[in-house]
Structure formats: structure tokens, C-alpha cells
Amino acid sequence: MERLLMTKLIAWKDNPDKKPLIVRGVRQCGKTYLLQEFGKTFYEDVAYYKFDEDEKLEDFFRPNLNPRRIIKALSLSRGKDIKPGKTLIFFDEIQFCGKALASLKYFCEEAPEYHIVAAGSLLGIALPKKSQNEQNPSFPVGKVSFLTLYPFNFYEFLLAQNELLARHLQESSFDDELLPSFAPELKEKLLEFFVVGGMPKAVKTWIETNSIEQTEEVQQEILDGFEVDFVKHAPPKDFPKLSAIWRSIPSQLSRENRKFIFSHVKESWRAKDLEDALEWLIRAGLIYKVENIEKPFLPISAYANHTIFKLYMCDIGLLRKLSKLPPKVVFDKTPVYREFRGAMAENYVLGELVNIYNSTPYYWTSDTKSGKAEVDFIIQEDADIVPIEVKAGSASHAQSLKQYCQKYQLQKSVLTSLDDNKPNIIPLYLIWKIREWLQDHFCQII
């Protein structure tokens, strides 16, 4: 199954000034498979080492971090030479070996002819906090490049099932005369995506079997694996808190304003009790923290309120599964699903935005005489601050976005919906083309 990050991997390979590359991403998002395919396709050979399964690998880095000595040891261990520029060296789950991570600095400085990629599912949380400090020599600050792999976005999901249609959409404009004829199929595929999500194993199972039962078994395995990580890698005192926060996300999102309330995790717990556990989940890539801003000015981060935020999950399919939302409800659009339907649409759009911008957006609220207005997401596109309003159903009313645009005299805004096909609304199933949309569309409020 094709992943868009492959293009960036190829660009890294072709860069004459390349540094060792670390690919980050949430557990089971496909890092190992993608890097293996990259190596098989663009190199003569792949030298693969997985640090969480072979403790003996650490011995190769103990004496010193001389890269040429390490290359000899690694070559001997596999009984095959490692050739500069022809062999891709792949360190998987590198966070389990601090010395291997530190060695990347010396490969960058002393042996740049070797092509090295590394992957780490829990890189953000498995290392001691001090190793995140730029003054700590154990982390190769400035000596490595980073890429992040996310779960499938909707385009990749569609590409895996209908490549011809996906390629056509990618190459066509929003004014394409054929687009309305594709709308019914695209809506159906998007609802499938809400059910299946973008975790590669779940996508593969759905495509190969067309069985929702088998797909849900895979999703449950992934969810169970996440909770095993809580036990294995988090401080013991934080495990109950991690699990409680994680399991509370569906109920938090079911509320009308979706603001995260610490006491709703457990009545006796407050922010100071849960801050460390919350940070662990964010660093692990399992959740996204969308902070509130009251003023959409640059730099946006300077106007963020870190104490008011919403939490969303890393994958729309896992949110549905954790919520125990039956798949048929997503397609039937029954009244009992109406409120949570909005949360699902927001989580989906957030996943697309994070995939595009490689950062988490914000959201905006304001108390006005006409009532409290709220815009779902605020992003920065070059020097423009762009509000995005998400409608799971009809977008005939977008009062919050209207108030926002009138207040700040904006040039650009985005209104996205599934059920409307109007010139000033980008369909939810095309939100992955938002950058193209922003080139030609301006602030238009219905």
C-alpha cells in the first residue's frame, strides 16, 4: 500500500548533504514496513537491526562510538558487508538503545557515506527527559533529520482501493466537471474511513477481507497493544491515569463544547494529578492536544491558553472502536448518533491537518453579545491565519465562522461539510487538498 512519505524518503536519499534520518510515529502506523520497502526498492541491500528484540545489539556500541568499528561489528553479525551508499542501514526501535542513538552524531560527522535510517514508536517518551535537552551529548542534536509517519489519511485510504479515482482527484482542480459524479462514491468511502480508520493493518484487513468483524478484531488488538505500552514503558504510578485519560476521550468529545475536563476523568483528580500522564500520551503520539486561542494573531503559540484544550485521538477508526460505536450507525446517521457525529468529523479533519502541516492546530472561542462563538480549528498557512469550521451534516449555518470573519476582517477561511455541494464549501472528502483550496478561495460566508 502506497504511503505519501515515500516521496520524502526518496528526496532524503538523493540529498548529497543527508544526515542520518529518524522516522517517528505512533505504534503500528507502518514505519517498519515503509522503511523496509524503501530499502528494498531503492538500495541493493537492507541491513536491519531491531533493538527491542535483540539485546545483544547493544554490545556493538559499548566499547566506543567509532562508526567504522560499529560498521565492522554489524557486518560480522549478519555475515554480509555493509556497502556505503548501496546498503540501507535500518535501526528499528532505536529508543531502546541510547548508545545507538548517540552514535548517529558520529555517523553524521565521520562517516556520512553510510545511509542510516532509524525508527522509534515511543521515541518521545522512552528516553530520559534529560536526553531531550540540547546540552545533553547523548542525543545527536543537529546531527539527524526527522520525518513523521502518521496513520493513513483519506487520500492514501482511497488510493489503496481505487487508485484511478485517487490519482484523478489529486491531479484535478475543484472546478473539475466530473467531481459531482464522484461525490456519492467519495461520501461512501469517507464513511468507510470513519469506521476503518488509517492504521495500516486495519486498512489492509478491510481491503483484503471486506469483513468488519475481522477489521474490528485488528482495531482491538491495536488498542490492547497501546495499553500494554502503558504498563511496559510508563512510570508505574502513571498507568491508572494514562488508561483513565485514554478511555475518557470518547465521553469528553461527546459533550457539546468538547473541552477537556480533568474532573471528568475521575472526580477526585485535578490538572496537577494528570499533567504528567497527559504529556506521556501526547509524546507517544496517541492523542492530539488542541489548545484554545482568543486572538488569532502571530505567532499563534503566544496567544494559546495551555489550560483550555480539547483532546482527540490519533486515528478516527480507533476513536470509533474505543467509543463502542457500531459501524452501521455511521452509515445510517440515526438521531442518536447526531451529537457524536460532529466529534467524529472533527477528529477526521484534525488527522488530515496534522498529516499536511505536521503540527497540531488550535481552536478559537469568543464570548460575544450574540452568544459564545467557537471555530473548530485555526491553522497557519504561510503568513495567513485560517479558521476552519467543520460540519458533519448541513453547512447551511456557520454563525461562529461568520462572527470570526467579521471580527477579524479575514481574507481566507474554510467551511467543510459532507452533505453540501456548494461553491464556497470544501467537501470533507477533499479536505486533504486544503492547500490547493486556499490558493483560490477567499472568505465567503453563507
Side-chain angles (χ1 to χ4, degrees):
M1 296 185 293
E2 185 174 336
R3 302 304 306 270
L4 297 179
L5 198 71
M6 184 66 84
T7 302
K8 294 183 179 180
L9 293 175
I10 297 169
W12 170 82
K13 179 183 184 298
D14 294 339
N15 182 358
D17 298 320
K18 73 173 64 59
K19 303 173 183 178
L21 175 68
I22 295 178
V23 177
R24 299 174 290 192
V26 70
R27 187 179 189 270
Q28 295 200 30
C29 70
K31 298 180 297 300
T32 299
Y33 176 83
L34 177 62
L35 289 173
Q36 291 275 26
E37 288 299 303
F38 170 59
K40 292 175 185 176
T41 305
F42 297 100
Y43 290 83
E44 292 181 4
D45 183 26
V46 179
Y48 178 69
Y49 306 93
K50 192 171 185 186
F51 288 94
D52 63 335
E53 293 183 354
D54 189 351
E55 295 180 359
K56 294 180 181 179
L57 288 174
E58 191 169 358
D59 294 339
F60 299 143
F61 299 85
R62 288 187 192 280
N64 57 60
L65 297 182
N66 182 300
R68 303 195 188 283
R69 184 199 62 78
I70 293 171
I71 288 294
K72 289 181 181 179
L74 294 175
S75 297
L76 286 169
S77 73
R78 73 182 197 130
K80 191 175 182 181
D81 288 341
I82 294 175
K83 301 176 182 178
K86 297 183 182 298
T87 302
L88 179 67
I89 305 169
F90 181 6
F91 293 157
D92 203 0
E93 299 296 354
I94 194 172
Q95 73 274 7
F96 286 95
C97 183
K99 286 185 176 293
L101 184 62
S103 75
L104 299 183
K105 171 185 176 182
Y106 301 97
F107 275 100
C108 176
E109 294 176 342
E110 302 173 20
E113 68 271 21
Y114 290 99
H115 294 200
I116 301 179
V117 294
S121 298
L122 300 170
L123 190 64
I125 55 90
L127 298 172
K129 286 187 177 180
K130 65 179 181 179
S131 66
Q132 309 297 326
N133 191 314
E134 292 189 2
Q135 303 303 315
N136 190 310
S138 67
F139 192 86
V141 175
K143 305 300 181 180
V144 294
S145 299
F146 289 97
L147 288 174
T148 302
L149 182 65
Y150 300 100
F152 276 57
N153 71 355
F154 180 61
Y155 172 74
E156 291 172 316
F157 180 79
L158 187 63
L159 188 64
Q161 300 181 79
N162 189 335
E163 182 176 357
L164 187 63
L165 176 57
R167 301 284 188 203
H168 177 80
L169 292 174
Q170 184 184 49
E171 296 167 2
S172 63
S173 69
F174 284 93
D175 299 325
D176 184 354
E177 295 180 354
L178 294 176
L179 188 58
S181 64
F182 297 141
E185 179 180 354
L186 290 170
K187 289 181 180 181
E188 181 178 351
K189 287 300 180 186
L190 182 62
L191 295 177
E192 277 186 23
F193 188 61
F194 279 25
V195 171
V196 176
M199 300 304 282
K201 190 174 180 181
V203 174
K204 186 173 186 290
T205 300
W206 172 249
I207 292 173
E208 291 181 350
T209 68
N210 205 31
S211 167
I212 190 57
E213 290 85 359
Q214 293 184 43
T215 302
E216 287 202 308
E217 287 177 6
V218 170
Q219 290 173 324
Q220 189 59 54
E221 288 173 4
I222 295 171
L223 290 171
D224 292 343
F226 287 166
E227 298 226 14
V228 169
D229 284 341
F230 299 166
V231 177
K232 288 173 60 178
H233 304 296
K237 66 180 179 63
D238 285 341
F239 168 69
K241 299 173 184 178
L242 289 166
S243 184
I245 293 173
W246 176 249
R247 293 172 179 269
S248 79
I249 292 177
S251 62
Q252 300 267 4
L253 290 177
S254 67
R255 297 167 57 251
E256 185 175 356
N257 66 10
R258 318 211 204 292
K259 175 187 171 184
F260 185 82
I261 306 296
F262 284 99
S263 62
H264 287 189
V265 177
K266 186 176 180 180
E267 190 173 350
S268 61
W269 285 344
R270 297 294 181 264
K272 62 182 178 61
D273 303 313
L274 297 174
E275 284 175 346
D276 288 346
L278 178 61
E279 184 65 18
W280 194 99
L281 290 167
I282 295 170
R283 285 182 175 273
L286 293 170
I287 62 174
Y288 298 126
K289 181 185 181 186
V290 179
E291 296 179 340
N292 177 260
I293 59 169
E294 293 183 0
K295 296 179 180 179
F297 301 146
L298 293 174
I300 301 180
S301 58
Y303 297 90
N305 187 334
H306 306 303
T307 65
I308 301 176
F309 56 89
K310 303 177 185 180
L311 294 183
Y312 295 89
M313 291 183 63
C314 61
D315 178 67
I316 182 69
L318 296 184
L319 172 63
R320 182 202 61 80
K321 179 61 178 173
L322 189 65
S323 306
K324 296 181 172 60
L325 188 69
K328 65 177 183 179
V329 173
V330 176
F331 289 91
D332 292 346
K333 303 178 187 177
T334 61
V336 294
Y337 171 54
R338 185 176 299 146
E339 288 191 5
F340 201 69
R341 185 183 176 201
M344 292 283 287
E346 289 175 23
N347 208 129
Y348 156 70
V349 170
L350 174 61
E352 299 293 305
L353 295 175
V354 170
N355 207 302
I356 294 167
Y357 292 97
N358 201 31
S359 63
T360 307
Y362 300 84
Y363 80 102
W364 173 84
T365 55
S366 177
D367 290 312
T368 65
K369 293 182 180 179
S370 58
K372 186 175 183 179
E374 180 175 308
V375 174
D376 298 311
F377 299 113
I378 306 293
I379 61 171
Q380 182 176 339
E381 177 69 25
D382 295 326
D384 293 314
I385 297 176
V386 182
I388 302 173
E389 183 78 0
V390 180
K391 296 294 184 183
S394 173
S396 57
H397 300 287
Q399 293 304 315
S400 292
L401 187 60
K402 182 176 181 179
Q403 289 182 32
Y404 181 102
C405 290
Q406 290 175 343
K407 182 173 183 177
Y408 296 108
Q409 300 297 304
L410 292 183
Q411 294 298 310
K412 295 182 178 181
S413 68
V414 173
L415 181 59
T416 180
S417 168
L418 180 63
D419 291 343
D420 291 277
N421 186 21
K422 299 178 181 177
N424 60 330
I425 298 175
I426 178 172
L428 277 172
Y429 49 77
L430 291 178
I431 196 68
W432 51 273
K433 289 169 70 74
I434 187 173
R435 280 189 151 157
E436 179 184 330
W437 174 271
L438 289 172
Q439 293 176 2
D440 302 316
H441 293 75
F442 296 89
C443 196
Q444 304 177 61
I445 302 299
I446 55 177

